[in-house]
Amino acid sequence: NAGVMQNPRHLVRRRGQEARLRCSPVKGHSHVYWYRQLPEEGLKFMVYLQKENIIDESGMPKERFSAEFPKEGPSILRIQQVVRGDSAAYFCASSPGQGRTDTQYFGPGTRLTVL
Amino acid sequence: AQRVTQPEKLLSVFKGAPVELKCNYSYSGSPELFWYVQYSRQRLQLLLRHISRESIKGFTADLNKGETSFHLKKPFAQEEDSAMYYCALGGNTGKLIFGQGTTLQVKP
């Protein structure tokens, strides 16, 4: 049973380009969380999605960032017009349920570098 | 406010010494607390959660609501315990609120 998959593992973009990060949850999990880890900081929650629904986007920057989790296919975190401050590790996690006690299973992360 | 504080960025101990990684939280409701660990070149994984009251790899953590703490302890550290440890609070909607993390270095 494969764990959470994220691709690409490393992504380099120039300022102004778009970054698209993909996350495939554990098979059977319908809850996906995205977290961002800036250099020298802990993980910060960005967005929580269920299939075709955004449940909590309280941690998402208001501009340039969007996320989706379609009925079919992986969850996508999209960053438009990237800036140097977007350079970070982006982690996806999935869980089988919504409960606060549910274990979240993490992917290996995508390391985004903006030149 | 929902917040988790890990005051130590780095904790260095010798093999066989006791370990305590500190974690304090701020949460207005009934807290759900976790410890996650990231070993070198591996992904973040759950170590233990307070609701389970279990010991994993010799580690235990007790929720102290009076002190709003959830410190992680192990009586005798092993070299393979060297890793990054994150304390996390289960927030509303199930999201996790992480502390800054503590690097545990166990020296031979």
Side-chain angles (χ1 to χ4, degrees):
Chain A
N1 188 10
V4 176
M5 308 288 283
Q6 287 188 251
N7 67 81
R9 295 290 308 276
H10 299 275
L11 182 61
V12 180
R13 286 286 178 267
R14 295 191 180 280
R15 281 179 296 171
Q17 292 184 318
E18 178 180 286
R20 195 171 293 202
L21 290 63
R22 293 175 187 77
C23 168
S24 297
V26 172
K27 189 176 180 181
H29 287 189
S30 58
H31 302 260
V32 166
Y33 300 81
W34 284 93
Y35 297 87
R36 176 167 67 172
Q37 184 174 33
L38 295 169
E40 305 296 319
E41 294 188 18
L43 284 80
K44 295 281 197 307
F45 167 77
M46 298 183 75
V47 62
Y48 162 38
L49 310 105
Q50 291 180 26
K51 288 281 187 181
E52 300 185 280
N53 282 305
I54 296 175
I55 306 302
D56 181 351
E57 55 181 350
S58 59
M60 284 277 270
K62 296 290 181 233
E63 297 177 352
R64 303 187 297 107
F65 285 72
S66 63
E68 62 177 8
F69 188 17
K71 190 175 179 182
E72 302 290 338
S75 175
I76 307 284
L77 179 68
R78 186 181 290 110
I79 312 171
Q80 296 177 302
Q81 299 177 317
V82 296
V83 301
R84 289 222 172 101
D86 297 333
S87 294
Y90 293 82
F91 292 93
C92 168
S94 74
S95 72
Q98 186 185 353
R100 292 172 60 221
T101 59
D102 278 305
T103 299
Q104 293 188 19
Y105 297 84
F106 281 80
T110 293
R111 273 155 183 79
L112 172 65
T113 301
V114 180
L115 301 177
Chain B
Q2 302 171 28
R3 189 167 56 244
V4 175
T5 304
Q6 292 179 250
E8 301 141 329
K9 204 166 182 179
L10 171 66
L11 183 62
S12 186
V13 301
F14 285 101
K15 177 183 170 182
V19 170
E20 182 179 52
L21 288 85
K22 292 184 166 50
C23 172
N24 288 90
Y25 67 90
S26 173
Y27 189 70
S28 56
S30 183
E32 300 293 343
L33 286 150
F34 308 82
W35 277 98
Y36 278 79
V37 60
Q38 187 170 28
Y39 299 103
S40 180
R41 302 184 189 281
Q42 294 187 28
R43 59 185 69 189
L44 196 63
Q45 58 187 285
L46 178 68
L47 179 63
L48 55 79
R49 67 182 82 191
H50 94 269
I51 198 170
S52 302
R53 295 182 176 274
E54 57 197 347
S55 173
I56 304 291
K57 299 185 179 184
F59 284 97
T60 58
D62 290 318
L63 176 62
N64 185 323
K65 289 187 178 180
E67 296 183 358
T68 60
S69 68
F70 188 57
H71 302 328
L72 184 68
K73 299 177 185 178
K74 185 169 182 176
F76 308 103
Q78 303 298 314
E79 287 181 70
E80 55 265 30
D81 296 329
S82 294
M84 185 72 154
Y85 290 81
Y86 291 97
C87 182
L89 171 68
N92 302 335
T93 73
K95 66 188 177 192
L96 290 171
I97 298 149
F98 285 91
Q100 300 275 71
T102 298
T103 300
L104 174 63
Q105 187 181 74
V106 181
K107 296 179 283 190

